[in-house]
Each structure stands twice: as structure tokens, then as C-alpha cells.
Amino acid sequence: MSETVPSPSPDAGEPRLDRFLRSGVEESSPGAVVRDARGRLLVAAEDAVDLAAVQASGVSLRRLARRIRVRDGGAETAWLVPAELAGLTREEATLAAEVALPFGRTTSERGLWVRYAPGLELLGVNDRGDVLLARRPELEDEADAKTEPDDGPVDRSVWTTTSGLPERTIVTGRIEELERYRAEAEAWISALEVATGEGCREVSRLAAGVELTVSVNGRVPAGARGRPAHVERSVRASWPDADDLEAIALRDEILARHAAAGVRVPRIVVTTLLGVPEDADAFEAFADRLREHGADPGGLGLPESITASRFFDAETGRLVPVSVRHVGSDEAPEAIHVVAVGADDHDVVRGRGVLGALSTILPRIGGLLVRAASLVVGEGDAVTLVAGPAGPARAAVVTSARLVAQAGASAVLPSDGAGGGYVAWPTERTVYESAAAFAPLAEALASSAPPVVENPAADLGASGAPDRIGLVTHRFGRERVLLDPTAGVLRWDGCPRPVGALVLIRPGDGPFALRRPPPDELVGVVLRGETPEGTFDVLSDPDAPVAAALAERGITGGALVDALAAARGGSPEALAGGDDSLGAALLRILEARIALWRRLVETVPTFLLTGAVGPDEAVAAVRLVSGRPDAIELGGTIDRDALRAAAADGEETRSEPRPGGLETINEGQSPRSNSVEG
């Protein structure tokens, strides 16, 4: 009979699984027990545990652990995950991240999760509470890039191979520098075609009426990162083709507006490069493979070494995911080019590529790109733009809206009629949001037309509930859902609609919930871009090249206000970390955007909603300003108590001006610190 670790005595604290491991099992059976760097037990094979000792202790196995069964053909293995992982702090979870398990790899995101290995499908939970996984070999073949990349554990899911890696953003003020990056990218695509035998994939669509072309290399070498098929599928789902009637109408309107302004409409061209060698050893192996195919790496235009690549990151000593784009110029180019290397997340093509380019195009015809959900909340066709990162407040409003006209980002342009208002245009035909933060998508996941799910991780204690261990709960922070709204889940139509009100979700935990500040303060709030999550959406458009260039240098929030003042005083380099040429370009773009935002908030009733309000309060606030934007006079506020009452019984709320003038959204700051003169 095997020896066991003594069972816990009543005063030994909560019983733990590792106290019942068979003596010497970690030495005699390598791989049967997995621990993190600090020695904490993460997984144990069931036969590594003395079940007789567990029974004799009077403690049920289910109290100690969650069983995960993995079926592979006719064989089945059982693994036990300690229940105490549900009690890990976020700091402890970080120390347990990136550990290889028999069925995947751990990762941390406000708790501990597991990324199931490619080819494993989550079947569910049996009557004993065991999590059931099955290996499907057809999902495991990552080398076959012609197949749909549904290798995640749940229906229509994929783990993008670059998720969680560091990402660089390069914004250059010199078009010739961007051309050099493009030339190297084209060389890599040619080399990858030689190495893999498959040419480039190219997809042409219309994004907000603008011609869009996305190209990606057809395959990646065996063992390299990147999912070209997922990039292609995401692009096809997100934007309509040239035969779509609504897209054609938007294109004609865009052409007419540009013609009236005397400028041409640039095309958007996004070049995505996947599977590039990441370090010196991989580079040499790739070069040898090219020579085996009779090709000279230098003759194809490749750099002499990985360190000579323009995409090489000297800080990490590797080639990490990077996007490269131009900050923008006074003259409209024939095409706006974006180069994205090493990243297959849809957000890279969508955000850094398409939305970033649109944010450069729209100001030429008096428009802006706003990160927002465009909602028809009351009666009529006018929409309320609820701008800010996806979160509980915005999600609750979308859930209650009569119609979600657009989601993710809206193109906001002046109306061409005599009314002098604004109209919101759709930038895409899909909803691409955080599954954890955007509540309406939970319903979509169970709909008859399920969305594509990026990066679904299974709970390994993150929720604090042992009975959720092993399950995909759609609460993982890096999980994204790409939803076709025509499925009817969000009652989406995607038509251009007049803008009736604008609600900006911003941080703040003061007594007020909803305010209507004057334009000067609103422009300052938009410039600073502070969000309830502690991030920065500069000019409510974080994907714009100007915002990315500033964020890359840490020039956001109050630092941006100070740098702008210095640039206006004759030191443009303050906006670009000492680069005078880039700083001058950034100053020119910022001044133009500030002027456009000033006109928008002077024309459209605009309100600040504190991100600290609850979901019901947020719904009441947006319904109020959507139906009667004049219910809050300029300078007026509504406190949280009144909003709670409105949420509870539907009674009308009444605003009152704050005595002594307005204060900023952040308690303790003077109004002037948040004000920018245009």
C-alpha cells in the first residue's frame, strides 16, 4: 500500500488537495503533478492522489478539487484542479501564469485562467460535476491555413496566436519612412510565399463608404505565430463588399462630400504580415529554408539579420507585434497605408488599420470618428451617441435601447441639410466588443447565430467560485466577440441617422451623476480622454494616429494639456518627446480636431455621465437626455439620488445649476485645468 501525506487534522485549517498526494509521486511520475514557480499545486493526475486517504479523512473530493476529464479517442485521463485556486489574489494569480498544464497553459487577467490547448473542445459538465474535454484532431492542425481556424474550446472560437504579447505602435511623420517599412513588409510576404507555397490573401470591402483592401500572407511556416484565415474571415464579416446597397449609398455620399471640399477620397490599404521569425535563431532557420527552395534571402529584399529588420524591437531583443502608420498630412494621399506585423487579433486590423485611417479621412470633410455606441433610445430616428470604452454603464444602455444603430465606433459628420446638425454613420457592420464588459453579448453567445469568439479562456479560479473552474464563462478580459448584428440580438440596422444627443462616460465619484458643462470644459474633457477604467481615449478616438503617437510617449491626460500649451507657445517638440517635425504635425492635427469637437459640442447637446453610476442609473440618464435634451440646462446637474429615483419609478428628474459655477469631472481640479481654448 502506498504511503500518503497525513490527512489534515481539524485544527490544520482548510484541507488542501496537495496533502493527499501519494508519497514520492512527483519523483516517480514526472508530469503527474504541476506546480507554479512558488510551489503551489495547480494540477494533479487523479491517480497521483490517494483517494482512500481522502475518503478516510471525511472530506469529499469535490470539496477539495474540480475534476477535468480529457477524452482522446478511446482513452481518457482525469486531472484534479485544487479548489483553493478560487481563493488566489490577483497578485498570486500573476505568479501562477504561463505554466504549461496537461490540457493547456495558465494565464492571468484579474485572476487565474487556462487557455485550453488547440484541438480540445469543451463538452460541458457531467452529472458528477466533472468538466469534460474531448480532443478533436481536425481542430489541432494549425499548419493547414486553408481551414477555418475554429480551434478554440467553444463553438466558433479561436485563440489568436499573438494575444497577450507586447505590442508596439510606430507613428511616423515622414511618409518616406513609412514607405521603407512597407517595402520590407512586401519582401517578407514574397519570402513567406516561397517558404510556404501559398500566395497572399486579399480582401476588398467598403468601410464607411471608403474603399478598403486588406492583404495578409496566405500561410505561416510550421511553428510560427499567426492565423491568416482568422484575419481574412474577420475582415469579410466586419465590412460589406462593393455590391452592398447601403455601402454603395455611403460611398456615393463620401465621394460627393469630398468633391465639394475639393479633395479626393483616399483608399485604405492594410498590409498584415504573420509568421515572421521572432529571434535570431528563427531568422537563420527561415533563411536556410529559403535557400533550400533555391531563393536568396537578400535577393528577395530581406534584411541581413533579424536585428537589421525595421520591425525589430531592441528593448526585448525580438520581433514583437508592431503596427506602423503615418500621422497624416495636409494633402490627401492616393491611399492611406498601414503595416501590421505579427498580430492576428481583429482589433489590430480594425483599430490601428481601418478606424485609424478613417480618423484621418473624416476631418477633411468636417467629420470625426467617435468611439461610441449609436443608439435609438426613444421615439423617432435621432440617435444618442454614448461614447466611452465598453463597460457596465454603456452595456446597460445598449441592452435597453430600442435600436442599436451602430456599435464600436461612429463616423459623425455635419448634416448636409439646412438644420445645421450632425449625422452618425456606421463604420462597420459587426459588433466587436469585450465579452466581459459588454453584457448584451452574453445573449448572443447562446443565439441561433453564434458570434466568432476570440481568445476564450476557462476559469481556473478567477471568479472565486470553485464550481466554475474549468468552464468558459466569457468573463476573460482579453476575450472579444465578433457578432453579426443581422442575427437580431441587438436590433441593429446600421443606417446613417441624425444625432440628437451625445453622452460622454467619464470618471468621477462625486454626488452628481449627469452634467451638462459648457463647450470649453467639454473640449478639455475630450482632449484629456480620461476613462473610468483609468485608460485614455484622447479625443474619444484612441485608434487615431495622433492619439497613438501621444500615448506611445506617455503624453495623455494632464500631461497632454501641458504639452499642448507648450507647443502653442512655440515648442512643438513637447508633443513628440523632442521630435520637432513630428511635434509640429501633431500640433496641426490637434488644433484641427479641437476645432471640430468644439463645433460638435456647441451644436449637439452634450452631457457627462460619471462611470461610477450603476447600470439602472445609466439607463435612466441616457433615456432622459434622449427624450428631452433640454431637460438639463447648460450648467445643470442631476445628482445620483434623483437618478436612482428615476430608475426605480420612472418619474421625471429636474436639474439645478451648481452654485458657484461648474467643477470638472474629477473632484479637486479647477475648471481651468480641464479647459482648452480652440
Side-chain angles (χ1 to χ4, degrees):
M1 183 175 178
S2 63
E3 298 182 19
T4 67
V5 177
S7 18
S9 59
D11 60 349
E14 188 70 17
R16 295 176 177 270
L17 183 66
D18 57 0
R19 299 182 183 181
F20 296 97
L21 294 178
R22 297 182 184 276
S23 179
V25 69
E26 296 184 61
E27 293 76 20
S28 62
S29 302
V33 176
V34 180
R35 299 182 183 273
D36 66 13
R38 300 186 67 181
R40 182 187 303 276
L41 178 64
L42 299 179
V43 171
E46 185 172 12
D47 57 12
V49 176
D50 192 328
L51 300 180
V54 173
Q55 185 176 14
S57 72
V59 178
S60 69
L61 183 62
R62 191 164 182 174
R63 180 181 169 190
L64 290 173
R66 175 81 154 190
R67 183 187 284 112
I68 296 180
R69 297 185 181 274
V70 182
R71 298 172 180 173
D72 189 354
E76 179 179 283
T77 55
W79 301 90
L80 298 176
V81 178
E84 63 263 20
L85 293 186
L88 293 186
T89 65
R90 292 179 180 179
E91 292 73 18
E92 291 172 329
T94 301
L95 298 173
E98 299 306 317
V99 177
L101 304 181
F103 41 78
R105 178 174 289 273
T106 62
T107 186
S108 66
E109 181 79 31
R110 297 186 177 182
L112 193 62
W113 305 81
V114 58
R115 168 184 170 176
Y116 283 132
L120 285 181
E121 181 180 16
L122 177 60
L123 301 179
V125 180
N126 66 11
D127 61 319
R128 300 182 180 184
D130 302 340
V131 175
L132 305 179
L133 299 173
R135 188 170 299 282
R136 292 178 56 189
E138 69 272 19
L139 299 183
E140 197 173 3
D141 186 11
E142 297 186 26
D144 185 5
K146 295 181 180 179
T147 62
E148 284 297 307
D150 295 335
D151 67 345
V154 295
D155 189 28
R156 289 171 60 81
S157 66
V158 56
W159 257 92
T160 56
T161 56
T162 51
S163 176
L165 294 178
E167 181 189 351
R168 297 168 61 216
T169 298
I170 298 174
V171 179
T172 175
R174 302 172 179 84
I175 195 68
E176 62 274 11
E177 184 176 358
L178 176 62
E179 290 301 316
R180 287 191 283 269
Y181 280 104
R182 286 184 57 213
E184 183 177 332
E186 293 294 338
W188 279 110
I189 287 179
S190 298
L192 286 164
E193 182 176 352
V194 172
T196 64
E198 187 166 332
C200 189
R201 303 165 183 253
E202 188 172 286
V203 184
S204 296
R205 316 301 272 179
L206 288 173
V210 178
E211 292 184 21
L212 165 67
T213 301
V214 177
S215 60
V216 59
N217 51 294
R219 299 180 67 168
V220 300
R225 299 180 188 268
R227 310 303 297 276
H230 177 62
V231 172
E232 180 183 6
R233 176 172 67 174
S234 301
V235 172
R236 292 188 182 279
S238 295
W239 295 282
D241 58 31
D243 296 328
D244 184 272
L245 294 180
E246 288 184 350
I248 291 173
L250 292 179
R251 181 197 62 194
D252 292 345
E253 182 68 19
I254 282 284
L255 288 170
R257 288 180 180 241
H258 275 77
V263 294
R264 60 182 171 185
V265 186
R267 297 181 297 113
I268 302 174
V269 180
V270 182
T271 302
T272 303
L273 183 59
L274 301 173
V276 178
E278 297 179 19
D279 55 31
D281 292 341
F283 180 89
E284 291 302 323
F286 183 78
D288 290 342
R289 184 170 183 175
L290 292 176
R291 296 185 187 100
E292 291 172 1
H293 285 81
D296 173 33
L300 291 171
L302 295 186
E304 295 181 355
S305 64
I306 191 69
T307 57
S309 170
R310 292 187 175 276
F311 304 112
F312 181 74
D313 180 29
E315 185 175 337
T316 62
R318 301 174 61 84
L319 198 154
V320 300
V322 58
S323 59
V324 186
R325 44 198 170 147
H326 187 252
V327 71
S329 60
D330 290 327
E331 296 183 2
E334 183 274 332
I336 294 177
H337 289 274
V338 179
V339 179
V341 179
D344 51 6
D345 294 75
H346 179 54
D347 195 42
V348 174
V349 171
R350 172 185 177 267
R352 267 60 106 211
V354 180
L355 298 183
L358 287 174
S359 72
T360 301
I361 294 172
L362 294 173
R364 300 181 188 279
I365 52 175
L368 291 163
L369 191 78
V370 181
R371 175 186 279 193
S374 176
L375 313 166
V376 178
V377 181
E379 298 300 322
D381 292 333
V383 298
T384 296
L385 289 177
V386 182
R394 181 175 148 205
V397 174
V398 172
T399 307
S400 66
R402 181 171 67 83
L403 180 73
V404 178
Q406 299 149 31
S410 295
V412 181
L413 296 108
S415 300
D416 55 5
Y422 279 80
V423 62
W425 292 31
T427 59
E428 54 208 308
R429 67 177 185 183
T430 49
V431 177
Y432 181 73
E433 294 282 4
S434 163
F438 207 68
L441 300 182
E443 178 184 349
L445 292 166
S447 71
S448 59
V452 174
V453 182
E454 277 189 354
N455 308 322
D459 192 315
L460 208 66
S463 66
D467 60 348
R468 293 187 181 180
I469 286 178
L471 300 180
V472 174
T473 60
H474 302 296
R475 292 294 181 266
F476 180 56
R478 297 202 298 273
E479 181 178 336
R480 298 290 182 270
V481 174
L482 181 65
L483 172 68
D484 178 0
T486 60
V489 176
L490 293 179
R491 298 164 290 170
W492 179 92
D493 71 348
C495 296
R497 293 177 177 272
V499 179
L502 173 60
V503 177
L504 304 175
I505 302 176
R506 288 297 183 262
D509 55 2
F512 67 87
L514 190 66
R515 305 171 55 223
R516 188 178 177 183
D520 278 354
E521 184 185 348
L522 285 168
V523 171
V525 169
V526 171
L527 177 70
R528 295 171 68 92
E530 293 161 322
T531 72
E533 289 74 20
T535 58
F536 294 91
D537 284 358
V538 175
L539 296 170
S540 203
D541 184 11
D543 292 312
V546 60
L550 293 167
E552 182 185 7
R553 293 162 176 79
I555 304 174
T556 54
L560 175 54
V561 174
D562 294 341
L564 179 59
R568 285 171 167 172
S571 301
E573 69 277 5
L575 288 168
D579 187 330
D580 184 74
S581 175
L582 179 59
L586 293 174
L587 176 60
R588 171 181 50 80
I589 295 170
L590 281 173
E591 296 286 31
R593 301 292 170 84
I594 289 170
L596 290 171
W597 266 101
R598 176 174 296 281
R599 180 186 170 189
L600 174 62
V601 299
E602 287 176 344
T603 306
V604 175
T606 303
F607 307 86
L608 295 182
L609 175 66
T610 173
V613 300
D616 292 340
E617 297 166 337
V619 171
V622 174
R623 285 192 179 280
L624 172 68
V625 302
S626 299
R628 296 182 297 109
D630 58 348
I632 304 179
E633 62 187 53
L634 194 64
T637 68
I638 292 179
D639 62 30
R640 297 188 65 181
D641 290 338
L643 211 52
R644 290 190 189 101
D649 56 28
E651 291 183 1
E652 294 185 356
T653 56
R654 181 174 58 88
S655 71
E656 296 180 359
R658 292 179 67 97
L662 290 171
E663 295 180 1
T664 63
I665 193 76
N666 294 309
E667 295 296 322
Q669 293 180 339
S670 66
R672 190 168 186 81
S673 70
N674 217 15
S675 176
V676 176
E677 296 181 359

